[in-house]
Amino acid sequence: MLVLALAELRSRPAAYIGSFLAVAFGVALVSSCGLLLATSIDGAAGTTGEARREWTGAIGVFSSMLAVAAFAGVFVVASTFAFAAALRRRKLALLRMIGATPRQVRRMLHGEALAVSITGGAVGSAAGVPVAYVFAEAFQGSADFPADFAVRPTLLPIAIALAVGVVAGQLAAATAARPVARIDPAEALRATIVEPRGIGLVRLLLGVASLGGGITLLLIGRSLEGGVSIGIAFMDTCLLIVAVALLGPLPVMPLIRLLGLVLAAAGPLAAQLATANAVAMRRRTASVVAPVVLLVALPAAMLQTASAFSEQVARGEENVQLWSLSLIVVITVGFTAIAISALLAMSLSQRAGELRSLRLAGATPAQVRGIMRREGAAVTLAGTAIGLAIAAASVMTFQAANGLPADPFSRPAVAVGLAGGAAALVLGATELAARHALAAA
């Protein structure tokens, strides 16, 4: 099965471009932040007084950056691997039907994930060192930052970042392989036609646990003020994003159906077909919505809380930490944007047969693109709505803890910018991918 996995990678490299990019960017971000943190820890050793305070501040700065980078990296890597495997459910089900055992299917998926993780991780590792130098240069001259800060390249942070990428890919492969590998050969043909409606007991339990953890932190966070409340806002935002990704169709499909009614005003037939496609392939739709939620929720929550907190503290170490958090959030937005573009391209590249059927039924290329645009609009609106709701809950908890008025979008430009950016990204990527898929069809 390892030979088959490598043959699949060689024959269809475009199907794995999203996974490769996710690993490369994730490892680059995590390794660069890890190098900066390791340098700060080494620099703090043996120092005293003002110098030690500056190095300790740097440790806090780069710990925050590493936390955000690690979460975004693992989330996007796992999402893209799972998405790539889900797109090939038909082929995997047919392998079961012709005699492949569940173990062989799992080995093939794990082999593909390992190969992509190692190659993408190697590229990311090579990029991590120069990225660390760029980050370090950006902080030079900042108040309460070590004047003699210089990146000290070491292998441990890079190795850990590469291991994280590989482990995330293997976990995603295991999750994706589980439902397909357990299909009875007699049911394989049905699996090529209809997606399963359920999400699996383990995934359901993990999703409920993440949701419960996020809600618990929202309640606890109301009594914790100061810098601690920013950490709580980050953690509850992450848990709620993970809950949406794990529960998938359960929170997403009701919104998609509702948005289908709204979009019908711009073209009833196209909206009906777009909604029917999105609902029929609920897992595929939810897999694309999840990164949009990350793209909107994490930056909105972190930038709003950072902005509110910066108004309460003096210039210095706290503001340096908040600025660093804003920096890594912006970088994470770019990283997630690339992943979303790749996911959409991967999705539409697998739908050439579907698009060909629409053309044979009499639909013009413009009408097909219109259907795809409405699907993209529904995905954007659903992801943005869920993301902003998560951000609002986190920001309001932070505001309550710090005695601030309840105004989750005190900086409306942040929410508007993220929503507009998500729309431009998804609709633009959908348009380009649809044109390419139609040309291939």
Side-chain angles (χ1 to χ4, degrees), residues 282-306:
R282 59 187 63 228
R283 290 190 174 187
R284 182 185 67 195
T285 302
S287 295
V288 179
V289 169
V292 178
V293 173
L294 171 65
L295 177 67
V296 174
L298 189 58
M302 293 296 95
L303 293 176
Q304 293 278 15
T305 53

Side-chain angles (χ1 to χ4, degrees), residues 23-32 35 117-132 154-155 157-163:
V23 173
F25 277 86
V27 170
L29 279 178
V30 173
S31 61
S32 61
L35 285 169
S117 296
I118 291 176
T119 53
V123 173
S125 298
V129 175
V131 170
T154 57
L155 289 178
I158 297 175
I160 292 175
L162 179 58

Side-chain angles (χ1 to χ4, degrees), residues 39 45 102 160 179 183 185 192 258 266 316 331 348 361 363 376 389-390 421:
T39 299
I160 292 175
I183 293 178
T192 67
L258 177 61
I331 295 171
L348 288 177
I390 291 173

